[in-house]
Amino acid sequence: MRKVLLLVIALIGTTAFAAEITPASVVAEMNVRRAVFGLPPLHADARLEDAAGDRISDMEDQGYWAHISPDGKQPFQWLRPHGYAFHYAGENLASGFDTVEVLVDAWMESKGHRQNILSPLYHDCGVATVEGSTTGRASGKSVVVLFGRDLDEGAVMTAATSPAP
């Protein structure tokens, strides 16, 4: 009986700590992973948040889920209209997740997504989420994260490669 009770408590405890996927929880969870590697935290940037929001809205409007839009638009093209000139930029996409811990765990198991989260080149990020999928009905949330580093004066604009979803 004691083992069953402990198992129930363990399961309840795990569920109680599972965090909902919100822009703030995604940034916080990525920063937990960065801290393990001695990296400074990413800062939520309103310009990148707006760009990520427009990006995910475009995916919903056109019914796609990819780093490049059907009309050939790269993810980094969403940054400049929001006043974010960048030296480095990257993007992570995820769909169908229910908790932020599982979402970031999945990214950490993917080489390209992990590189974006742990890159010392990125200082800022912006996160946008929607319920379900941009390509139809699905459970969980879809998430776009745009990573960036402001363009330093005199630096040449470049874009880091993004992993495939």
Side-chain angles (χ1 to χ4, degrees), residues 12 29 32 38 44 46 107 109 143:
I12 291 170
E29 188 67 20
V32 165
W107 277 338
E109 292 175 12
V143 181

Side-chain angles (χ1 to χ4, degrees), residues 78-164:
W78 296 97
L79 280 61
R80 292 192 87 179
H82 290 283
Y84 194 91
F86 61 91
H87 188 74
Y88 299 101
E91 177 181 63
N92 279 7
L93 302 176
S95 186
F97 291 90
D98 293 315
T99 70
V100 72
E101 296 86 357
V102 174
L103 164 71
V104 177
D105 283 345
W107 277 338
M108 293 301 285
E109 292 175 12
S110 162
K111 182 180 177 184
H113 295 101
R114 178 185 175 95
Q115 286 174 336
N116 279 343
I117 292 169
L118 298 180
S119 177
L121 299 176
Y122 301 137
H123 296 167
D124 308 312
C125 68
V127 180
T129 66
V130 293
E131 283 295 330
S133 167
T134 61
T135 58
R137 293 190 151 215
S139 64
K141 287 200 177 182
S142 294
V143 181
V144 170
V145 179
L146 293 174
F147 299 91
R149 180 172 172 184
D150 268 327
L151 181 65
D152 295 327
E153 252 183 69
V156 176
M157 187 180 305
T158 60
T161 20
S162 292

Side-chain angles (χ1 to χ4, degrees), residues 4-78:
V4 172
L5 182 58
L6 290 175
L7 179 59
V8 170
I9 291 170
L11 290 174
I12 291 170
T14 302
T15 305
F17 292 108
E20 181 183 347
I21 296 172
T22 65
S25 71
V26 172
V27 174
E29 188 67 20
M30 289 189 304
N31 282 336
V32 165
R33 309 308 171 93
R34 287 175 65 88
V36 169
F37 291 90
L39 295 166
L42 293 165
H43 302 287
D45 184 283
R47 298 166 297 171
L48 290 177
E49 288 173 2
D50 290 345
D54 285 352
R55 177 100 169 95
I56 207 164
S57 291
D58 183 66
M59 289 185 199
E60 285 182 303
D61 293 345
Q62 294 194 56
Y64 72 97
W65 186 251
H67 290 289
I68 299 172
S69 71
D71 56 2
K73 197 169 186 180
Q74 299 283 331
F76 314 114
Q77 290 176 264
W78 296 97

